[in-house]
Amino acid sequence: MARIVMKFGGTSVADIDRIRNVARHIKREVLAGHEVAVVVSAMSGKTNELVGWVREASKAEGANFNIYDAREYDTVVASGEQVTSGLLALVLQAMGVHARSWQGWQIPIRTDGAHGAARIAAIDAALMIERFGQGQVAVIAGFQGIGPDNRIATLGRGGSDTSAVAVAAAIGADRCDIYTDVDGVYTTDPRIEPRARRLAKISFEEMLEMASLGAKVLQVRSVELAMVHGVRTFVRSSFEAPDAPGMGDFDNPPGTLICDEDEIVEQQVVTGIAYAKDEAQITLRRVADRPGVAGGIFGPLAEAGINVDMIVQNMSEDGARTDMTFTVPSGDLDKALAVLGQTRDSIGFDAIQHDQGLAKVSVIGIGMRSHAGVAATAFKALAERGINIRAITTSEIKISILIDDPYTELAVRTLHSVYGLDKQ
Ligand code: ADP
Ligand code: ASP
Ligand code: MG
């Protein structure tokens, strides 16, 4: 007997038929004698709809961006998972599986106070574990917990992955299976490169980079938690028949295992390509070149909750003034421009320029640590396709390149092929 967590994303629970299919996957594991905690997302599209309602309800007349009470945002957007957890418990009961739903506050899953992007602080799993002893399956609403203010808090978009890994750590699960609409982690998003290949294993570090650079198959925080707590995490498909051969294989289920680097025998130089659309670029012209300026610019942006990403600062020609370029999510551009407008006098710059419709394409691989020339290969391949590079950032195991959005697919496919990722 083992203890496992099974997480099902939005497309896997999109309607009652799919919820029934999910219940069959769960029943398979229950019949194998395992103790099971399930984490569910809202039905696909539901959270977007709820977020849209929040925006509509809180928009002041004439404003082109809105600031709303994040506690009420959480109250609204957490409701999608409440619905699917109850529905799945009902379907399981109808199939003769002993199950009950749990909302984040009932367990409780305690979070910090950062409403809308809360982090899990602690999970008291005692009651759930007691119920396992009675053969009960726990069906947990993902994406939500309870903050220090005793109010519902959500974990940021894609947060059910994090709920699942955190629950797995809290109950000491032997495995955490993230069921989704693809059958594993691929060398790049299979939706835009059909020649992408499924990886049997990927290291925590690489998965962390893939996720933070746009591969939304796992939420970044879930990978961090899996790495820190050593949770054995698989990404696998809920669309495969629940009784297909091998589906119940305990040690090697079909899918991708996220694991320590040293568990991977054949290391590639490049493991995957990720992309993020909807990036906007801001350039401040002729900023004073003196200590404290970067803090003066990025401090107020951070306070406004704006995530600044690539930052490029030129050397000033005269030692007095320089240009500063950085990217923010397109959805935050208006807010960022408003914040910078207010701080213009204290920072001191001549003009603000901005551009939208950009994308960031990234090459990821642990092998880059020990191989030279990986970046040069990317630059040459993109140039041959006539793709202009606006900005570049690098770390030990990744290269990120900012380009114009219409070239995203071409850039991803070009890089995927130039590093031989489409070959077996
Ligand atoms: P869920 O609703 O199950 O949480 P998501 O939509 O959040 O599912 O994540 C699954 C999606 O992630 C896939 O449909 C796929 O398009 C996308 N994706 C992006 N990059 C990758 C990748 N490298 N490997 C697999 N899927 C990826
Ligand atoms: N339903 C939430 C979202 O769409 C959480 C999740 O699906 O993981 O972001
Ligand atoms: Mg997801």
Side-chain angles (χ1 to χ4, degrees):
M1 187 199 70
R3 195 172 277 173
I4 57 177
V5 171
M6 306 172 77
K7 180 260 171 178
F8 296 92
T11 38
S12 307
V13 292
D15 55 39
I16 302 295
D17 272 346
R18 296 221 179 133
I19 292 179
R20 264 197 201 103
N21 176 61
V22 158
R24 289 188 198 104
H25 281 284
I26 296 165
K27 191 168 181 177
R28 180 190 66 229
E29 304 297 342
V30 171
L31 290 178
H34 302 317
E35 294 180 341
V36 180
V38 182
V39 173
V40 284
S41 291
M43 291 179 177
S44 69
K46 192 69 202 172
T47 310
N48 285 346
E49 183 184 39
L50 296 169
V51 171
W53 288 349
V54 168
R55 294 214 173 111
E56 211 181 308
S58 54
K59 197 152 190 161
E61 239 172 285
N64 55 355
F65 63 92
N66 51 0
I67 295 166
Y68 40 76
D69 182 342
R71 295 162 299 187
E72 303 306 349
Y73 166 95
D74 279 349
T75 304
V76 177
V77 302
S79 64
E81 274 72 11
Q82 175 160 343
V83 173
T84 44
S85 62
L87 290 174
L88 178 55
L90 287 169
V91 169
L92 283 166
Q93 289 169 5
M95 281 184 184
V97 176
H98 185 30
R100 73 153 276 188
S101 66
W102 295 85
Q103 305 312 298
W105 60 269
Q106 290 173 315
I107 293 176
I109 295 177
R110 300 210 176 274
T111 70
D112 65 12
H115 282 278
R119 288 164 78 95
I120 295 177
I123 298 181
D124 182 355
L127 202 53
M128 230 166 23
I129 290 172
E130 194 185 306
R131 300 290 180 85
F132 288 152
Q134 301 160 14
Q136 191 179 65
V137 171
V139 184
I140 301 163
F143 182 50
Q144 52 163 274
I146 180 165
D149 54 1
N150 228 20
R151 300 187 63 171
I152 295 173
T154 63
L155 310 179
R157 298 306 305 271
S160 298
D161 298 327
T162 301
S163 309
V165 175
V167 166
I171 65 174
D174 299 275
R175 222 175 66 204
C176 179
D177 288 356
I178 307 286
Y179 285 83
T180 182
D181 56 2
V182 282
D183 60 357
V185 178
Y186 279 68
T187 46
T188 193
D189 188 346
R191 283 183 208 286
I192 74 163
E193 173 50 286
R195 283 183 298 179
R197 284 181 307 107
R198 188 178 71 187
L199 299 160
K201 293 178 180 178
I202 182 170
S203 69
F204 288 120
E205 287 87 347
E206 287 167 319
M207 192 62 237
L208 208 51
E209 290 286 5
M210 291 276 279
S212 37
L213 295 167
K216 63 170 189 157
V217 60
L218 287 176
Q219 200 199 31
V220 179
R221 183 79 185 123
S222 72
V223 187
E224 282 170 4
L225 280 183
M227 183 156 86
V228 169
H229 296 283
V231 176
R232 205 166 170 76
T233 304
F234 285 89
V235 175
R236 54 186 299 189
S237 167
S238 71
F239 288 88
E240 274 165 64
D243 54 359
M247 286 301 279
D249 187 322
F250 187 76
D251 295 316
N252 290 303
T256 302
L257 172 66
I258 326 292
C259 59
D260 281 327
E261 201 179 315
D262 47 20
E263 265 195 69
I264 300 174
V265 186
E266 249 185 274
Q267 273 295 354
Q268 308 295 321
V269 177
V270 170
T271 301
I273 313 291
Y275 67 93
K277 288 177 168 253
D278 296 324
E279 302 273 322
Q281 187 181 40
I282 299 176
T283 299
L284 302 181
R285 294 283 176 208
R286 296 187 50 75
V287 184
D289 193 6
R290 56 175 163 72
V293 162
I297 296 170
F298 298 117
L301 290 172
E303 273 161 35
I306 298 167
N307 231 332
V308 174
D309 185 19
M310 302 171 109
I311 302 175
V312 182
Q313 187 190 341
N314 286 331
M315 299 283 287
S316 60
E317 223 179 296
D318 52 5
R321 299 233 159 207
T322 177
D323 291 345
M324 179 88 88
T325 297
F326 51 90
T327 61
V328 296
S330 274
D332 284 342
L333 179 63
D334 287 334
K335 209 193 311 179
L337 294 174
V339 170
L340 291 166
Q342 282 161 12
T343 50
R344 182 173 188 149
D345 289 342
S346 58
I347 302 166
F349 54 85
D350 280 1
I352 304 185
Q353 291 170 339
H354 58 90
D355 255 321
Q356 286 198 75
L358 308 181
K360 182 174 64 173
V361 179
S362 305
V363 178
I364 296 124
I366 274 183
M368 275 185 220
R369 284 189 196 133
S370 49
H371 278 78
V374 179
T377 304
F379 303 151
K380 183 162 171 274
L382 295 178
E384 280 166 7
R385 298 296 179 126
I387 301 171
N388 186 42
I389 297 174
R390 287 171 165 262
I392 302 162
T393 54
T394 61
S395 81
E396 216 187 2
I397 66 165
K398 72 117 205 274
I399 305 153
S400 291
I401 299 165
L402 190 69
I403 60 171
D404 291 331
D405 179 275
Y407 292 99
T408 312
E409 279 79 7
L410 179 62
V412 168
R413 292 192 196 120
T414 301
L415 296 173
H416 192 263
S417 135
V418 80
Y419 295 110
L421 293 175
D422 39 12
K423 300 201 183 76
Q424 281 305 320

